[in-house]
Amino acid sequence: MTVHIPFDNTYAALPEGFYARQKPTAVSTPALIAFNEDLAKVLGVTHDDLADLAQVFSGNALPDGSAPIAQLYSGHQFGQYNPQLGDGRAILLGEVVGSDGQRRDIQLKGSGQTPFSRMGDGRAWLGPVLREYVVSEAMHALSVPTTRALAAVSTGDAVLRETALPGAVLTRVAQSHIRVGTFQVFAARRDLGRLRTLYAYTVERHYPNAENPHDLLDEVIQRQAKLIAKWMSVGFIHGVMNTDNCTLSGETIDYGPCAFMDAYDPETVFSSIDRYGRYAYIRQPDIIVWNMAQLATALVPLTDNPEASVERFTEQVHGMPELIRAEYERLFTAKIGITNVQTGDVPMVTDLLSRMHENSADFTNTFRALLTGKARDQFSDPMAFDQWAEGWQARIANEPDPQTLMRQTNPAIIPRNHRVEEMIARAVDGDYAPFHRLNAALANPFEDNDEYADLTRAPLPDERVLATFCGT
């Protein structure tokens, strides 16, 4: 075996009850689709043979030092508590300490059944694997905290969904896979011993300055407030903001029915199962506050005075909307070239978004076109933009370098839903060229590149993707 991964496992060293020890299930004919060499260098993953990479990242061969486990957690799914979830189609191979000194998990997704599979097959089909690879790496390039993709491997086995589909395995990298739901499962079981162990482990791994559960919640809230505001600023909609998909590290995780908005509409929903719009674009700030309330509830048993702690936790959670609002306003005023925010600047942003909604203006392309003077072309009634732009141009005349600021905050390219679906359809037919081209284009999202101009175009009416589907 020529693949070397410098494992330094700590989660698998926790007492029994945090996970089930589980090896991946072998596949028939693994073939490497993609391997992220840049990320591999950071992780210290080395190899001599691409065939060996396919064996390791399909789960057919376990590298030395791995400690494969399926993690236990619970969670609220669309507001309803499920007392036991866990990794039903994922195996955590282990952890590495990268060249940057940061500890990260390496996890196989679609690697077979585990004790938490709940009648599922534990497998993934090709489409969601490629979608998560593309979108998670695009989010990283956009400077959004996120899990990352190390490898994608086809399995040679069919996966049965509505029909038979080609199987695949994704290798996902995360600062950790500790979720709000990881705390919830032990709090709900009144397992104070394991809850304390999880708390101590989380503090040591992610928040060494936290001296008590209130400090931990404060730091998680700070990260999540910045994360959600960042999502909003690039038009990203997660789709399944369940507490089991909410990390303590503050990373975006689980790219199921996710999508980026095309035409701006704050009520946009892409998840095929979100019938009531719980996780619509505009409600993401409310949902993250709700999720943090669930984390606070799970932390109460760790405090010496639960009654007083509930009051303090409540104050912390109630203060979160203001944190999100402040970060949102900072990001959106930057998108229109304003560094030194003054009275009237935030209403100017709100007015622009309202006009974009009324005129079906593309979210990404409108903001990027502020650089070129062609934003009016995105509006069904260009006069609606012209009326707004007069005051905006007078305002940014007093800013030091609005062009540079807008260029740094408004991407020229995002993973358009219709392009992702096209890429998946071609890959199912055995053509991975669109997948590789999309990854190359999205690696530098703030740069204009004529070679990829077709990928920046908003979808035509018959190209619009109205729903994406949960799960793999």
Side-chain angles (χ1 to χ4, degrees):
M1 179 62 60
T2 65
V3 179
H4 174 68
I5 304 175
F7 287 112
D8 180 25
N9 304 319
T10 58
Y11 200 89
L14 293 175
E16 296 292 331
F18 286 88
Y19 50 79
R21 297 196 182 276
Q22 178 71 51
K23 294 181 180 179
T25 304
V27 302
S28 62
T29 52
L32 190 67
I33 299 169
F35 183 66
N36 191 334
E37 292 281 6
D38 290 341
L39 179 57
K41 289 177 183 177
V42 174
L43 299 175
V45 177
T46 59
H47 65 93
D48 295 326
D49 191 328
L50 293 180
D52 283 347
L53 284 175
Q55 291 294 322
V56 167
F57 294 119
S58 66
N60 276 15
L62 288 175
D64 292 342
S66 62
I69 58 174
Q71 291 177 298
L72 170 68
Y73 47 86
S74 62
H76 280 87
Q77 298 183 307
F78 289 87
Q80 300 299 312
Y81 184 66
N82 190 322
Q84 180 168 302
L85 296 169
D87 292 332
R89 52 175 166 244
I91 299 292
L92 176 63
L93 290 181
E95 306 152 27
V96 299
V97 178
S99 59
D100 57 358
Q102 187 174 97
R103 181 176 296 276
R104 295 179 179 87
D105 289 352
I106 298 179
Q107 183 195 70
L108 301 182
K109 200 173 176 186
S111 50
Q113 289 184 318
T114 78
F116 310 119
S117 294
R118 297 180 294 160
M119 305 301 291
D121 61 9
R123 290 303 188 187
W125 76 274
L126 183 63
V129 165
L130 298 187
R131 177 186 290 112
E132 179 156 350
Y133 194 111
V134 166
V135 178
S136 64
E137 285 303 295
M139 291 282 272
H140 173 72
L142 288 165
S143 299
V144 180
T146 180
T147 60
R148 296 193 61 188
L150 178 61
V153 175
S154 62
T155 64
D157 301 319
V159 173
L160 294 178
R161 295 298 181 255
E162 291 81 5
T163 184
L165 296 162
V169 178
L170 175 78
T171 303
R172 179 167 70 188
V173 174
Q175 290 182 31
S176 82
H177 285 82
I178 302 169
R179 310 157 188 260
V180 171
T182 317
F183 279 82
Q184 285 182 288
V185 68
F186 298 121
R189 293 178 178 182
R190 295 181 172 83
D191 187 342
L192 190 56
R194 287 191 176 87
L195 188 62
R196 284 173 173 156
T197 298
L198 177 64
Y199 164 76
Y201 179 86
T202 304
V203 167
E204 182 179 4
R205 183 159 178 176
H206 292 300
Y207 300 103
N209 295 324
E211 297 182 358
N212 54 57
H214 295 285
D215 289 348
L216 175 63
L217 182 64
D218 264 339
E219 295 205 44
V220 176
I221 281 176
Q222 290 283 345
R223 286 196 192 182
Q224 291 290 346
K226 290 180 179 179
L227 177 66
I228 285 350
K230 192 70 174 178
W231 286 1
M232 304 293 279
S233 75
V234 294
F236 177 75
I237 302 163
H238 186 280
V240 276
M241 288 179 66
N242 300 328
T243 57
D244 57 296
N245 293 334
C246 185
T247 65
L248 270 287
S249 63
E251 295 170 286
T252 312
I253 191 172
D254 283 348
Y255 291 92
C258 66
F260 285 76
M261 274 196 302
D262 294 308
Y264 177 71
D265 181 349
E267 296 291 336
T268 300
V269 175
F270 279 100
S271 172
S272 62
I273 59 175
D274 191 0
R275 297 181 179 87
Y276 302 104
R278 177 180 174 87
Y279 298 142
Y281 169 83
I282 198 63
R283 280 183 275 285
Q284 293 180 132
D286 296 333
I287 292 299
I288 198 60
V289 173
W290 193 90
N291 285 354
M292 291 299 98
Q294 310 318 306
L295 176 59
T297 300
L299 292 173
V300 169
L302 297 172
T303 62
D304 295 330
N305 186 335
E307 185 173 342
S309 290
V310 167
E311 184 175 346
R312 184 174 171 189
F313 279 135
T314 300
E315 291 176 357
Q316 290 175 270
V317 172
H318 285 179
M320 190 178 185
E322 176 60 23
L323 296 176
I324 299 172
R325 184 194 63 77
E327 188 66 12
Y328 175 97
E329 291 178 357
R330 183 186 72 81
L331 291 172
F332 271 83
T333 50
K335 287 176 75 68
I336 62 170
I338 295 173
T339 304
N340 305 307
V341 181
Q342 302 174 6
T343 302
D345 291 341
V346 173
M348 184 181 297
V349 170
T350 303
D351 185 24
L352 174 60
L353 291 171
S354 177
R355 290 168 186 264
M356 288 168 62
H357 184 202
E358 292 168 359
N359 288 270
S360 302
D362 185 84
F363 182 86
T364 300
N365 289 348
T366 296
F367 280 105
R368 185 67 179 188
L370 294 177
L371 288 158
T372 63
K374 296 182 179 180
R376 69 189 309 271
D377 297 343
Q378 299 292 323
F379 287 67
S380 57
D381 177 9
M383 287 295 294
F385 175 78
D386 294 342
Q387 292 164 0
W388 175 84
E390 184 176 354
W392 167 67
Q393 289 167 346
R395 172 66 185 85
I396 63 170
N398 298 317
E399 287 294 311
D401 191 359
Q403 287 284 315
T404 297
L405 183 60
M406 289 189 289
R407 190 173 298 279
Q408 293 172 342
T409 53
N410 295 319
I413 186 170
I414 56 167
R416 295 275 179 184
N417 309 312
H418 64 298
R419 296 306 189 192
V420 171
E421 293 299 323
E422 288 173 358
M423 172 271 292
I424 291 172
R426 293 277 293 275
V428 169
D429 289 337
D431 180 6
Y432 292 108
F435 165 74
H436 292 298
R437 182 171 185 256
L438 201 51
N439 279 315
L442 293 165
N444 298 291
F446 297 101
E447 296 179 10
D448 293 306
N449 190 327
D450 291 342
E451 181 181 355
Y452 304 123
D454 59 306
L455 300 178
T456 69
R457 176 180 59 78
L460 300 173
D462 62 346
E463 295 175 318
R464 291 173 184 158
V465 177
L466 301 179
T468 51
F469 296 88
C470 195
T472 55

